[in-house]
Amino acid sequence: MALSGGLRCCQRVFSWIPVVIITSVVLWSYYAYVFELCLFTLSNTLEKVAYLLVFHVCFVMFSWTYWKSIFTPPTPPTKKFQLSYTDKERYEMEERPDAQKQILMEIAKKLPIFTRAASGAIRFCDRCQVIKPDRCHHCSVCETCVLKMDHHCPWVNNCVGFSNYKFFLLFLVYSMVYCVYIAATVFQYFIKFWVGELRNGPAKFHVLFLMFVALMFFVSLMFLFGYHCWLVSKNRSTLEAFSAPVFQNGPDRNGFNVGFRRNLQQVFGEDRKLWLIPVFTSLGDGHFFAMRSRNESRNPLLASEEQWEDDGGSEEESSGVQRDPSITVDIES
C-alpha cells in the first residue's frame, strides 16, 4: 500500500512536467520579447509602446485561458447518478451479470440516460459507483468520472470536459494569436540580425529563437485547433470521434449533432459577447444533451423526463447553471 501510494505521489509530481515546460517557454518568450527586443533593440519610442501594448493584451489572454484550463476541476456526475445504499447492496449481493444489468436498468429509468455500453447494458462505473450520464467517461489519471469528457491533456495536466472545454478552445485560440503576433513583429528584426544589419549580442540569440519557436508552436497548434473546430461543428468529443456513442438503435457518431449553430452554442453559450472571454457560458448541466433523432428522445429507459427536470430544477437554479434551450426541441435529421 505504501509503495502504491508513493508511486501515485510520484505520478502526480511528474504530471506537472509538461505544464512547467510550457510555463518556462512562455516566461522566456516574455523576457525575450519585452526586454531583448522592445527595450534593448527597438529605438523608436512609439513602436516600443505599440508593440508592448498589444503584446501584453495577447499575453494576458493567453495566461488567463491557460490558467482556467489547468485549474478548472473536471465535473463529476451529481449524487442523483450514485447508487443508493439499498441499490448498492442489491447490486453487490447479486452475482449473476444479467440480474445486475436488470438492477441498473431499473435505476436508470429515473434518469435521463440514452446511451449504452457496447453490449447494450447501462454504462456503470465500478470505481466511482455511479451510473454514467450520456457522454460521461472515467478518467484513470484524474481517478473520477468526468462529464462530457473529451480527453486528458498532459499539457494542462487536467481532464478536458464539460466544465473547461470552452477554456481549452480559447487557450488554443490565444496561443495561436500569441505566436502569430510574436512572429509577425519579430520578423523584420529576425531578417536584420540574419543579414548582419544589427550588431551581434544577446538580443540576436533571443530574437532568432523567438521566431523559430513561435512558428513551430503555431503550426502544431493550428492542426490541433482545426481538429477541435471540426469536433465542435459535429458536436463530438475526441472520445466519440474514435468510438461512436451507442444508442438503442446502435452506434451513431452524429447522435448529438443538432446543427452547427446549436452545436456552437452548447460550448460557447448564447451570448456572443462572451464567446472570446474565458468565463463559463456553456449550456446545460453536463448530464443531458439534445439529440439529433426524434426516436432517441423517446427512450423507454427514461420513465419521466419531466420528473428529472422537476427534481433537478432547484439544484440548477441555485448553482447558476444555464439551461440548454435545445434540450427539449426535437431536431429532424
Side-chain angles (χ1 to χ4, degrees):
M1 290 296 290
L3 180 61
S4 177
L7 289 175
R8 279 198 297 270
C9 183
C10 289
Q11 183 184 17
R12 290 193 185 97
V13 171
F14 285 123
S15 66
W16 284 102
I17 290 178
V19 175
V20 172
I21 293 173
I22 294 293
T23 304
S24 301
V25 171
V26 171
L27 291 177
W28 164 78
S29 71
Y30 182 91
Y31 166 79
Y33 191 91
V34 172
F35 292 93
E36 295 294 345
L37 177 68
C38 292
L39 298 183
F40 301 155
T41 303
L42 299 185
S43 55
N44 188 305
T45 304
L46 185 61
E47 191 177 20
K48 282 184 182 181
V49 172
Y51 276 25
L52 287 172
L53 182 62
V54 179
F55 172 81
H56 279 92
V57 171
C58 296
F59 180 80
V60 167
M61 294 307 296
F62 164 81
S63 302
W64 189 4
T65 53
Y66 192 41
W67 177 274
K68 295 284 282 186
S69 298
I70 295 172
F71 294 107
T72 300
T75 308
T78 62
K79 292 181 179 180
K80 291 179 182 294
F81 289 82
Q82 295 177 354
L83 299 187
S84 66
Y85 180 78
T86 306
D87 291 331
K88 188 176 179 181
E89 256 194 347
R90 284 175 58 209
Y91 181 80
E92 291 177 348
M93 292 289 290
E94 186 57 66
E95 296 180 355
R96 295 171 299 169
D98 289 341
Q100 288 183 329
K101 288 181 182 179
Q102 189 58 39
I103 291 172
L104 294 178
M105 191 80 73
E106 291 173 5
I107 301 170
K109 288 181 180 180
K110 304 172 185 177
L111 302 170
I113 295 174
F114 296 86
T115 56
R116 310 286 195 280
S119 63
I122 297 300
R123 298 167 63 243
F124 179 73
C125 180
D126 287 314
R127 293 185 179 183
C128 300
Q129 292 291 295
V130 297
I131 294 177
K132 295 179 184 178
D134 294 343
R135 316 184 82 174
C136 175
H137 297 273
H138 183 87
C139 176
S140 58
V141 180
C142 297
E143 298 181 343
T144 186
C145 284
V146 180
L147 294 180
K148 196 188 176 185
M149 179 177 171
D150 188 88
H151 68 289
H152 185 91
C153 180
W155 299 107
V156 299
N157 191 28
N158 197 6
C159 256
V160 177
F162 176 74
S163 62
N164 65 346
Y165 189 52
K166 176 189 173 182
F167 306 147
F168 177 75
L169 292 177
L170 291 181
F171 160 62
L172 297 181
V173 170
Y174 288 115
S175 296
M176 289 192 298
V177 170
Y178 185 73
C179 291
V180 167
Y181 179 75
I182 287 177
T185 53
V186 163
F187 182 71
Q188 60 174 314
Y189 299 97
F190 171 84
I191 298 298
K192 289 179 180 180
F193 274 121
W194 191 266
V195 299
E197 287 186 21
L198 295 176
R199 63 180 178 83
N200 289 331
K204 179 178 181 178
F205 165 82
H206 290 288
V207 169
L208 293 179
F209 271 85
L210 263 179
M211 188 71 186
F212 285 123
V213 172
L215 290 177
M216 180 183 68
F217 274 89
F218 172 74
V219 171
S220 59
L221 288 166
M222 180 178 62
F223 286 107
L224 181 60
F225 178 67
Y227 176 65
H228 278 279
C229 285
W230 177 77
L231 290 177
V232 171
S233 70
K234 300 293 185 182
N235 205 341
R236 296 176 194 168
S237 66
T238 299
L239 293 175
E240 290 165 353
F242 285 96
S243 179
V246 179
F247 297 87
Q248 275 200 308
N249 298 329
D252 184 3
R253 293 187 187 277
N254 294 312
F256 296 105
N257 187 351
V258 291
F260 179 77
R261 182 173 62 86
R262 285 198 174 97
N263 292 344
L264 207 58
Q265 287 178 342
Q266 277 193 17
V267 177
F268 292 98
E270 295 180 312
D271 190 349
R272 295 188 180 185
K273 296 190 295 294
L274 298 176
W275 279 11
L276 296 179
I277 308 298
V279 294
F280 184 81
T281 54
S282 301
L283 299 181
D285 61 3
H287 294 84
F288 179 49
F289 298 89
M291 281 163 288
R292 179 176 61 92
S293 172
R294 180 184 296 272
N295 293 332
E296 289 298 343
S297 66
R298 302 265 195 273
N299 190 345
L301 271 183
L302 186 58
S304 174
E305 182 178 316
E306 289 77 12
Q307 178 185 349
W308 160 260
E309 292 178 352
D310 290 342
D311 292 342
S314 58
E315 185 176 330
E316 288 178 3
E317 290 171 6
S318 62
S319 61
V321 172
Q322 287 186 275
R323 189 69 177 170
D324 185 347
S326 64
I327 280 180
T328 56
V329 177
D330 291 323
I331 307 298
E332 296 293 349
S333 56

